[in-house]
Every structure is written in C-alpha cells, then in structure tokens.
Amino acid sequence: MRTSVGRALTESGPERDLAVQSLKAAGAAVLAWALVGWWWKAPMALMAPWTAVVLVQSTVYRSLRAGAQQLILIGLGTLLAAGAASLTGNTMAAMALALPPAVLLGNYSRFGDQGIYAPTTAIFVLAYSSFSTTAIAHRLFEALVGALIGIGVNALVLPPVHLRDVRENLDGLARDSAALLRTMADDMESGYDRTSAEQWYEGARRLGGAVQGLGSARRWTRESYRFNPGHRLRRHVSPPPDSRDSYWSGIAGRLESLTGTLVDTAGQWRRLAAPPDVVLGLLTELLGAAAEVCEADRAALTAPQPDGDARGEAMKRAWAAHGRLKGRLPDQDHETATAVGGLAAQTQQLLYALEAGPDQAGRT
C-alpha cells in the first residue's frame, strides 16, 4: 500500500492513473449530490451520485456506453417496480413480483457489469414507496443528471488515454527477448542440460503471453481515443506503429520453436542428437549477437536517433556465425546432422525476423 501511494505521488504509471480516476469518480459523485441533493433537494437524490461515480470509466467511450446502458436499466427497473406496486398494493408482494424479471434482465450478457442497476433500482423505488408518475420522472431525471456529470468529468478532466500501456508492453517484450537470448548464450557456453532447456522454453512461452498483453494494450489505446476530447486538447503523441507488434510476435514465435528443439536435444530421453561442442560455440556467438540486436531495438523505442550501426554490426556477426554453423553440417553423422540442420533452419528464421526490424515487420 505504501509503495503504491509513493509511486502515485512521484512517478507516472498505473498507480497514478488509478489515483486520478478514483479522485475523478469521487469528485463526480460529490458534484452530483451538491447539484441534485443540496441545491435542488430532489426526493431521491442518491440516484445522481450513485450513477455518476460508476460512469468515470477507464475510457470515455466506456463511460458513454455504460451511461446509455445504465439509464436504460434504471428506467426499466423503475417501471417494473412501479408496475408491480400498482398491481399488488403491497411492498413485499411487489418485490416478489418485480425482482425476478429485473434480475433476469440484469443478467443479460450485453449489459455486462451495468446489469445490477435493474434490480437495485427496483429495490430502491419500492423501499422509498415512490410509485407516482412524478416520482418516476424524478428517478429518471436524477439518474440522467448523474450520468451527464460522470461522463462530463471523465471526458473533460484529464481524460484517460492508454498510450503508456503499449509502450510498456513493447519495452517488456524487447527486454525479455534480449534477456532470454542472453541466458541461452551464457548457458550454452558452459554446456546446457534439459532443465536449462526447459527453462528457456518456458521463457519463450511467456513471451507469447506478453504478445497477447500487447494486443490487449493496443485495443485499449484505440478505444481510449474514441470520443475523447483530450486527444485534441493534449500535445499529440502517436502510439508506436502496429508493425512493432508483428515484429515481436514473430520473434516470440521463432524463439518458442528454437527452444522447443533444444529441449529435444537434451537429457537422457532426448529425441534428437546432442549438438557437438563446436556447434554450441557457434550457437553461443549467434544468440549473443541476436541479444544485442534486441537490446538495440529496445533502446530505439525511446532514443530520438537509434544507433543503427551497432544493430547492423550485431546482425553481421549473427549471420557470420550462422554461415559457419551451416558449414559444419557435412561433418556430422546422420543423426547429428538432423539436429544441427534443424537448429540451423530455426536460427535462420530467427535472423530473418530480426533482419526485418521493428518498423518494417508486417509491411509488404
């Protein structure tokens, strides 16, 4: 708790974003109460802050969508309660009649988290015994005011833009890819066992999960720009291009295939022959150079002028090591040649993916 508070106060990040949204929600609720409860003295003023506080959503688009859903559900819950009360003339009987359809309506999947507003509104209306046409109009008007305040606060006061999430996910993919390649190179230099190879494979699979996280962050970013006036009011900063997503997705896929093959070359029950020491030495050189390429790509995410020369030199060393690796194929027996050939093919695919570069991947 103390660490999160400290981060919210000292640096931008998820903790500060959450703190800002929380304060905005609280402010919207106070404003709605001040307007409807204190100034207008509406008979059921709690509807306004109740509605406003939950409409300060993670994006302006979600605030608008949730607001429309909420108003529909509050209206339907109010009508169900009023109709049941007029038919029965008894609060207990009215609840028994109104709540089952209200709960069923609230569980309709299209309403999502807003579904709870149908039955809770029916309960409030019946508990307050406000069934007249005037009372129903008050409920709907109070909810509408709260919705307008909640949406307005979210759209006009530091409207959320989830641009940072894409950059953080890209940085994490580059960092973890480079770290995995560096670990593989270091372990191979001293000889690896099945446990090490399985750890590499698990690391590569986690990269696949990070790719999915990047896709989710990209969708959040696109959504946060919809109906968001802050996109025009703030200094415009474009998100990293989509080609970088394809690039790191390709790297993660190649590493998963490569590490899977390396698992099959290790241990007592291996399916492929173990690579000879000279091949491991070449793989060490190749993977170490590939790690430098990933590190250069990570640095390029924030550097105004990326060091293309360092990246190019690392790619040359990687290709040179790969050429020598393929040159060792004729010297191997059939079983070893099968394993070395598979590793040569997969590292070649990895190098081609790296050669494309993060800003060119996926382009035709």
Side-chain angles (χ1 to χ4, degrees):
M1 179 69 177
R2 183 180 299 176
T3 302
S4 297
V5 171
R7 287 178 179 172
L9 293 173
T10 59
E11 62 185 49
S12 61
E15 292 84 0
R16 179 173 293 180
D17 292 344
L18 179 61
V20 169
Q21 288 297 100
S22 299
L23 291 173
K24 285 167 58 177
V30 170
L31 180 60
W33 177 261
L35 180 62
V36 178
W38 177 68
W39 186 31
W40 287 344
K41 301 186 185 303
M44 198 171 176
L46 67 88
M47 295 293 291
W50 183 49
T51 303
V53 72
V54 296
L55 289 186
V56 181
Q57 297 276 326
S58 51
T59 66
V60 175
Y61 167 75
R62 289 189 180 230
S63 288
L64 290 167
R65 186 180 67 181
Q69 292 174 336
Q70 196 176 115
L71 289 174
I72 291 171
L73 289 163
I74 287 174
L76 292 173
T78 300
L79 292 174
L80 283 171
S86 64
L87 286 174
T88 62
N90 177 272
T91 300
M92 186 68 222
M95 282 196 179
L97 182 63
L99 286 181
V103 173
L104 285 172
L105 181 65
N107 285 326
Y108 183 46
S109 60
R110 286 185 178 273
F111 289 129
D113 295 339
Q114 304 304 315
I116 191 65
Y117 283 91
T120 51
T121 299
I123 292 171
F124 285 160
V125 169
L126 291 170
Y128 276 82
S129 300
S130 52
F131 315 130
S132 67
T133 302
T134 302
I136 292 173
H138 267 293
R139 301 298 83 73
L140 297 178
F141 178 70
E142 290 151 10
L144 176 61
V145 171
L148 292 175
I149 290 174
I151 294 169
V153 167
N154 200 37
L156 300 176
V157 180
L158 299 175
V161 177
H162 297 272
L163 179 60
R164 185 188 304 113
D165 296 343
V166 174
R167 297 187 182 279
E168 289 179 349
N169 276 272
L170 284 170
D171 181 76
L173 268 169
R175 180 193 64 237
D176 294 344
S177 297
L180 176 58
L181 286 163
R182 185 71 64 190
T183 299
M184 292 170 66
D186 292 344
D187 289 349
M188 280 187 183
E189 191 171 14
S190 56
Y192 68 96
D193 56 16
R194 190 174 184 87
T195 300
S196 297
E198 288 175 345
Q199 289 174 349
W200 304 339
Y201 182 65
E202 288 303 314
R205 292 190 66 184
R206 285 194 295 272
L207 290 177
V211 169
Q212 294 179 355
L214 174 59
S216 176
R218 184 73 70 175
R219 289 190 293 274
W220 271 101
T221 297
R222 293 193 183 104
E223 183 180 301
S224 68
Y225 279 109
R226 298 177 68 180
F227 309 112
N228 190 340
H231 175 45
R232 296 178 177 84
L233 295 173
R234 294 177 179 176
R235 180 170 57 87
H236 178 70
V237 179
S238 298
D242 292 358
S243 60
R244 297 191 178 185
D245 302 9
S246 301
Y247 174 74
W248 291 110
S249 176
I251 300 301
R254 299 303 179 191
L255 284 172
E256 185 171 345
S257 297
L258 175 60
T259 53
T261 298
L262 288 167
V263 169
D264 289 335
T265 65
Q268 183 179 0
W269 306 107
R270 58 178 177 264
R271 299 175 182 178
L272 296 170
D277 290 343
V278 65
V279 170
L280 292 181
L282 293 170
L283 285 172
T284 296
E285 184 179 348
L286 188 158
L287 296 173
E292 292 182 32
V293 174
C294 290
E295 289 163 355
D297 290 337
R298 183 190 180 194
L301 285 170
T302 55
Q305 293 182 339
D307 188 356
D309 292 339
R311 188 184 195 279
E313 288 298 322
M315 283 300 312
K316 287 179 182 178
R317 294 199 308 275
W319 279 118
H322 183 266
R324 295 196 299 275
L325 174 63
K326 290 195 296 184
R328 291 289 177 176
L329 281 171
D331 301 333
Q332 313 303 321
D333 59 67
H334 292 308
E335 289 298 322
T336 307
T338 299
V340 174
L343 293 172
Q346 287 168 352
T347 51
Q348 181 168 310
Q349 294 282 28
L350 173 63
L351 294 182
Y352 274 127
L354 289 168
E355 189 79 67
D359 293 323
Q360 299 297 325
R363 297 183 183 179
T364 58

